[in-house]
Amino acid sequence: LQQVNVQKTWTAIEACCNDERDHLLARLTFLAGLKPRHIAERYPDLFPDVSEVYRVKRNLLDRLRRDPTLRRMCENGRNGRLVE
């Protein structure tokens, strides 16, 4: 059941990504746990400096916060119910 919830959460996160750069940033941040500085160092062609990583990440997080599916999943989880 937990694996299903993880898959549904990840599907919702990917749906909020506008392009491959967002997808990469989501994977590096949420799955790999990389800091913005490390992302900028590893992918200078996509993120010329750390401020660009922060900008893209902030925009992605704003979209995630507004996403109705993720909001519902978070609310269900806080109430102790199984995530849909």
Side-chain angles (χ1 to χ4, degrees):
L1 187 59
Q2 184 178 1
Q3 181 63 29
V4 170
N5 289 336
V6 169
Q7 288 174 329
K8 286 183 178 186
T9 301
W10 191 248
T11 299
I13 290 170
E14 286 187 328
C16 290
C17 294
N18 286 337
D19 55 26
E20 187 54 39
R21 190 164 75 156
D22 283 352
H23 285 276
L24 177 64
L25 182 62
R27 288 191 301 271
L28 295 173
T29 299
F30 303 131
L31 296 179
L34 291 180
K35 305 273 187 217
R37 177 176 50 92
H38 296 125
I39 294 170
E41 290 170 357
R42 290 184 186 192
Y43 297 92
D45 53 322
L46 296 174
F47 304 100
D49 57 40
V50 73
S51 65
E52 182 68 4
V53 177
Y54 279 109
R55 185 188 71 75
V56 174
K57 185 176 177 180
R58 182 179 56 247
N59 290 339
L60 177 58
L61 289 173
D62 286 344
R63 287 193 302 277
L64 293 172
R65 285 184 191 105
R66 290 189 306 264
D67 184 72
T69 301
L70 284 172
R71 290 177 68 93
R72 229 178 5 263
M73 292 171 78
C74 288
E75 288 169 3
N76 288 343
R78 276 196 300 264
N79 294 332
R81 294 190 304 257
L82 294 176
V83 178
E84 41 185 64

